[in-house]
Structures are given as structure tokens and as C-alpha cells.
Amino acid sequence: MPRLLVLQSIWGLDQCPGFDVWNDLETALQAVIDAGFDGAGTNLVRKERTAVTARFMNERGLAWEAQVLAGSADELARYADEAARLGAHHLNVQVRGPLDRVADAVRLMEGMEVVRRAAGLPVFYETHRARLSQDLPFFLRLLDALPDLPLTADLCHYVVAGEWDLPIDAAKHAAIDRVLRRAHAFHGRVATAHQVQAPIGGHHQPWLDLFAGWWRRGFDHWRARAAAGDTLSFMVELGPPPYAVVDSQGRELTDRWQEAQRLKDLVRGLWQQA
């Protein structure tokens, strides 16, 4: 039966009270698992952090997401080999960009697709600001040319980059749905028109409702095409400042770890409804 894996971003524990991911990562990872997460995610460029995460998760039969920034097929091939060797559940790729011409983007992704299809693990391309996928109309034209690109849907970037305000109109919902139909993994936080990471609930509840609705729809699309035994990952990715909102003294306005656990529970509830 298809399963949901809810992961916790290790970057999302940086500067988080009670955690020291720089000097005592194993304790942090144990706290993540004790809190009910199914694994974690880390960037391959942080070699020591990746080695600890891979060993910790692999020994326990748990999942971890490898993350990279790549700008060529050759670069992607090196990262894919490394992630497969280390036993990652999948490789999440932010593609360098943006580019000016869709034709150039298509050429770049065609080369990366050759690598992805031959890789020893699943490879997904993340939707993200300041990357190839930054501009949603541009990215949808890329999907017109290459409709089978497997994506990691990090939808907050389109909301804040486009300054989308509520209510979201039908055209924007339709555009997001095209991304969701290609989503093979998710990164999760709640954004607003002007904040990439907003506190959860309170006066931001309408934004939480928006993202929850999108995630639920993405789960529906994924389950419609999933085979028995497939796993979908959702990584809770509440980052440290400047992603997190702070007061005049630099203190975060919310308890980021508590919010991460709230998102985990919310996402699992959406999965049960899907």
C-alpha cells in the first residue's frame, strides 16, 4: 500500500532552541525520530552532516532526502552517484537559473533527464525561487515541452515571488495544479504574499488553509498514479532566520520546533483524507 513519509529538514533545526546540529547531530536526529518523523533531509555539500545522517537513518531503516544545487548534467550525475552510494531515499535537485529562454531551459533539462533516468535512485526537481523554476509561467512552458519532469513541490516560493494575495484566482490555482500533477515529493511551509515563511495559524489561518488544500490535492494526484509499495515524502522545512520572522531583538516570534510538529500532524491528517 502506498505510504507517506514525513521528514524533518536538518537545516530547519539550525538555531532552533534545544538543538545543536553542528556539534551534536545524532542527538538532534534522535529527537526528530522520537517526535514521530519518518526521517530527515540534508544537503550533500555538508559532508560531515550528510555522513552522520546517512549512517543514523540507514542503520534504523529510515528514510533521508539528499539535496543539491546543480547546473549541468555532469554535475547532477556526480551528485546522483553520491546520493545512491550513501543510501538516500531520493535526490532533491534545485536547478541553477533562472534562464532567459525556454529553449535553453529545455536543452539543459533534456541533458539532466538522461542522467535522472539512469540514476540509482529517484531524482526530483524542486520548484524554488532564484532557480530555473522561479517564474511560474516560464516553468509551465518548460513543462509543456517536458511534461514528465518529476517535481518536488515547494509551493511557497510561487506565492511570495509572485506576491499572490488572497483570494487566489482560478488561473493561479490551475497553474499550481499543473505542478501538483507532477509532484513526486513535497517541501512544506506556509507563505504569504510577502513572507516566505509565516507563523502557522492565528491571522495566517487562511494561508494555512490554502496550502493544506494544495497539499491534499497533490496527495490525491500522487495516489491516483502510485503503485503498491510506493512512498511519497513530505519534508517539513521551517527554516531559521531570515526565513523565520523575528522581533526587534532577533528572537523568533514562534516556537519553530513546535510548529514543525504541528505541520507533521496536519500533513498526516491530510493524507488520511486523501
Side-chain angles (χ1 to χ4, degrees):
M1 184 173 183
R3 291 189 302 127
L4 175 71
L5 302 175
V6 185
L7 312 181
Q8 166 63 38
S9 166
I10 295 176
W11 169 71
L13 299 176
D14 196 4
Q15 304 177 47
C16 195
F19 294 91
D20 185 356
V21 296
W22 293 97
N23 301 303
D24 191 5
L25 180 55
E26 286 204 18
T27 297
L29 293 172
Q30 188 62 56
V32 166
I33 300 309
D34 290 345
F37 287 89
D38 299 304
T42 190
N43 197 306
L44 287 182
V45 300
R46 299 196 180 279
K47 300 292 187 182
E48 183 176 350
R49 184 176 292 185
T50 297
V52 172
T53 302
R55 183 179 67 252
F56 185 97
M57 297 299 171
N58 293 345
E59 287 176 351
R60 292 160 177 79
L62 300 173
W64 63 281
E65 175 188 273
Q67 304 153 9
V68 296
L69 172 63
S72 70
D74 288 344
E75 193 174 14
L76 176 58
R78 292 193 297 271
Y79 283 133
D81 287 346
E82 182 178 5
R85 177 180 60 82
L86 291 171
H89 178 268
H90 64 275
L91 178 63
N92 179 77
V93 184
Q94 294 180 12
V95 182
R96 294 185 193 276
L99 297 177
D100 292 333
R101 300 175 64 240
V102 173
D104 292 337
V106 170
R107 190 176 305 111
L108 171 62
M109 295 309 302
E110 285 176 336
M112 287 191 165
E113 279 290 85
V114 172
V115 172
R116 179 187 68 80
R117 294 188 186 101
L121 79 173
V123 177
F124 309 137
Y125 307 108
E126 182 180 357
T127 59
H128 204 286
R129 290 170 300 154
R131 302 291 184 256
L132 186 73
S133 55
Q134 170 169 295
D135 180 76
L136 184 53
F138 180 100
F139 190 62
L140 293 181
R141 291 170 65 194
L142 175 60
L143 291 182
D144 287 339
L146 299 172
D148 294 328
L149 293 180
L151 307 179
T152 297
D154 193 342
L155 304 175
C156 70
H157 296 287
Y158 289 129
V159 171
V160 71
E163 293 193 5
W164 290 5
D165 213 341
L166 296 174
I168 302 298
D169 63 40
K172 291 183 176 65
H173 276 298
I176 289 294
D177 194 65
R178 288 193 58 192
V179 173
L180 292 172
R181 288 180 181 276
R182 299 307 313 151
H184 290 249
F186 290 81
H187 284 184
R189 71 176 67 84
V190 173
T192 73
H194 305 291
Q195 294 172 322
V196 70
Q197 181 173 300
I200 295 170
H203 68 282
H204 292 118
Q205 185 64 40
W207 293 100
L208 176 59
D209 294 341
L210 173 70
F211 278 86
W214 282 341
W215 296 333
R216 161 72 189 276
R217 187 162 180 79
F219 294 169
D220 286 339
H221 288 319
W222 184 87
R223 292 181 77 152
R225 64 176 186 269
D230 285 353
T231 53
L232 174 69
S233 73
F234 185 108
M235 190 170 74
V236 176
E237 197 182 31
L238 302 181
Y243 266 63
V245 181
V246 299
D247 64 17
S248 60
Q249 303 302 312
R251 295 181 297 253
E252 295 185 38
L253 299 184
T254 59
D255 185 324
R256 187 162 21 112
W257 176 232
Q258 290 299 318
E259 288 201 327
Q261 294 176 80
R262 284 182 59 196
L263 270 185
K264 166 180 61 68
D265 295 341
L266 181 146
V267 166
R268 287 217 174 106
L270 295 173
W271 176 260
Q272 293 300 322
Q273 298 169 20

